[in-house]
Amino acid sequence: MEGNTTFLPVEITVLDYLAPVNPVETAPKLKYEYHEGIYSILPDLDSIYPLATGIVSNFDLSPRLKDDYFAFIFSGLINIPESGAYTFYTASDDGSKLFIDGYEVVDNDGAHGVQEASGSIPLAAGMHRIVVSFFEIGGGEVLEVNYKGPNTEKQAIPDSILFIDLSPVAATGA
Ligand SMILES: [Ca+2]
Ligand SMILES: [Ca+2]
């Protein structure tokens, strides 16, 4: 800004890719927290002590202890293979949300049958934090999480790119 008024060509291909996190130690799979309650939208579960916790290979509702009135929070890391714009999708019955590095990317909240919602975010290659929250009222219960990248067709997020952060400081991270 020193009085140079020359306009450079607008570079629209440069995205501000979110930098990866660099966990000290990881292991495969995801952590989950399981809750029970009567929800009509996703509750703020962060402040509520979960009824159960555990480890799953993927976003999986099978650890539930009953078929209605429950919620899950799945959290971990996703290893993004190459930098680019990624689209994430949840198809859920009932509501769900997906967060990457703390950003709400997919809002599929509310009481509903199976419906899909999506959102996109520019990610640098490497590990990123992923959180999926889900709740079920009654009837069927479904959660499918898909993604699409620059050279990745839309598909279920594979087990092979999901990890748990075992770094000592990760225990307090959202
Ligand atoms: Ca049900
Ligand atoms: Ca349902």
Side-chain angles (χ1 to χ4, degrees), residues 67-68 70 136-141:
D67 288 338
D68 295 327
F70 65 87
E136 155 67 355
I137 304 175
E141 55 283 331

PDB file of all heavy atoms in Angstrom, residues 67-68 70 136-141, ligand 1:
ATOM      1  N   ASP A  67     -33.538 -47.833  20.910  1.00  0.00           N
ATOM      2  CA  ASP A  67     -33.735 -47.447  19.517  1.00  0.00           C
ATOM      3  C   ASP A  67     -34.346 -46.059  19.331  1.00  0.00           C
ATOM      4  O   ASP A  67     -34.412 -45.573  18.203  1.00  0.00           O
ATOM      5  CB  ASP A  67     -34.616 -48.489  18.801  1.00  0.00           C
ATOM      6  CG  ASP A  67     -33.870 -49.799  18.560  1.00  0.00           C
ATOM      7  OD1 ASP A  67     -32.624 -49.763  18.550  1.00  0.00           O
ATOM      8  OD2 ASP A  67     -34.533 -50.833  18.413  1.00  0.00           O
ATOM      9  N   ASP A  68     -34.829 -45.446  20.400  1.00  0.00           N
ATOM     10  CA  ASP A  68     -35.419 -44.115  20.299  1.00  0.00           C
ATOM     11  C   ASP A  68     -34.835 -43.227  21.400  1.00  0.00           C
ATOM     12  O   ASP A  68     -34.337 -43.722  22.412  1.00  0.00           O
ATOM     13  CB  ASP A  68     -36.941 -44.173  20.446  1.00  0.00           C
ATOM     14  CG  ASP A  68     -37.618 -44.934  19.314  1.00  0.00           C
ATOM     15  OD1 ASP A  68     -37.109 -44.878  18.175  1.00  0.00           O
ATOM     16  OD2 ASP A  68     -38.650 -45.585  19.574  1.00  0.00           O
ATOM     17  N   PHE A  70     -32.229 -41.007  21.666  1.00  0.00           N
ATOM     18  CA  PHE A  70     -30.799 -41.061  22.001  1.00  0.00           C
ATOM     19  C   PHE A  70     -30.036 -40.106  21.107  1.00  0.00           C
ATOM     20  O   PHE A  70     -30.575 -39.572  20.124  1.00  0.00           O
ATOM     21  CB  PHE A  70     -30.259 -42.490  21.892  1.00  0.00           C
ATOM     22  CG  PHE A  70     -30.268 -43.059  20.501  1.00  0.00           C
ATOM     23  CD1 PHE A  70     -29.196 -42.850  19.639  1.00  0.00           C
ATOM     24  CD2 PHE A  70     -31.335 -43.822  20.055  1.00  0.00           C
ATOM     25  CE1 PHE A  70     -29.212 -43.378  18.355  1.00  0.00           C
ATOM     26  CE2 PHE A  70     -31.349 -44.357  18.772  1.00  0.00           C
ATOM     27  CZ  PHE A  70     -30.283 -44.125  17.916  1.00  0.00           C
ATOM     28  N   GLU A 136     -31.759 -39.007  17.611  1.00  0.00           N
ATOM     29  CA  GLU A 136     -32.888 -39.803  17.130  1.00  0.00           C
ATOM     30  C   GLU A 136     -34.068 -39.596  18.072  1.00  0.00           C
ATOM     31  O   GLU A 136     -33.895 -39.632  19.298  1.00  0.00           O
ATOM     32  CB  GLU A 136     -32.483 -41.284  17.090  1.00  0.00           C
ATOM     33  CG  GLU A 136     -33.601 -42.293  17.200  1.00  0.00           C
ATOM     34  CD  GLU A 136     -34.567 -42.322  16.015  1.00  0.00           C
ATOM     35  OE1 GLU A 136     -34.441 -41.479  15.110  1.00  0.00           O
ATOM     36  OE2 GLU A 136     -35.455 -43.182  16.029  1.00  0.00           O
ATOM     37  N   ILE A 137     -35.244 -39.320  17.479  1.00  0.00           N
ATOM     38  CA  ILE A 137     -36.464 -39.250  18.298  1.00  0.00           C
ATOM     39  C   ILE A 137     -37.129 -40.625  18.277  1.00  0.00           C
ATOM     40  O   ILE A 137     -36.982 -41.404  19.214  1.00  0.00           O
ATOM     41  CB  ILE A 137     -37.446 -38.182  17.779  1.00  0.00           C
ATOM     42  CG1 ILE A 137     -36.783 -36.819  17.713  1.00  0.00           C
ATOM     43  CG2 ILE A 137     -38.667 -38.141  18.689  1.00  0.00           C
ATOM     44  CD1 ILE A 137     -37.674 -35.761  17.095  1.00  0.00           C
ATOM     45  N   GLY A 138     -37.872 -40.912  17.203  1.00  0.00           N
ATOM     46  CA  GLY A 138     -38.570 -42.196  17.098  1.00  0.00           C
ATOM     47  C   GLY A 138     -38.523 -42.691  15.674  1.00  0.00           C
ATOM     48  O   GLY A 138     -37.897 -42.074  14.807  1.00  0.00           O
ATOM     49  N   GLY A 139     -39.142 -43.813  15.427  1.00  0.00           N
ATOM     50  CA  GLY A 139     -39.131 -44.407  14.096  1.00  0.00           C
ATOM     51  C   GLY A 139     -37.736 -44.907  13.748  1.00  0.00           C
ATOM     52  O   GLY A 139     -37.003 -45.379  14.612  1.00  0.00           O
ATOM     53  N   GLY A 140     -37.392 -44.769  12.481  1.00  0.00           N
ATOM     54  CA  GLY A 140     -36.089 -45.261  12.025  1.00  0.00           C
ATOM     55  C   GLY A 140     -34.952 -44.393  12.518  1.00  0.00           C
ATOM     56  O   GLY A 140     -35.152 -43.239  12.911  1.00  0.00           O
ATOM     57  N   GLU A 141     -33.739 -44.969  12.543  1.00  0.00           N
ATOM     58  CA  GLU A 141     -32.545 -44.215  12.903  1.00  0.00           C
ATOM     59  C   GLU A 141     -31.464 -44.537  11.885  1.00  0.00           C
ATOM     60  O   GLU A 141     -31.143 -45.707  11.662  1.00  0.00           O
ATOM     61  CB  GLU A 141     -32.057 -44.506  14.327  1.00  0.00           C
ATOM     62  CG  GLU A 141     -31.791 -45.957  14.664  1.00  0.00           C
ATOM     63  CD  GLU A 141     -33.065 -46.743  14.923  1.00  0.00           C
ATOM     64  OE1 GLU A 141     -34.062 -46.150  15.366  1.00  0.00           O
ATOM     65  OE2 GLU A 141     -33.073 -47.947  14.637  1.00  0.00           O
TER      66      GLU A 141
HETATM   67 CA    CA B   1     -35.794 -45.358  16.456  1.00  0.00          CA
END
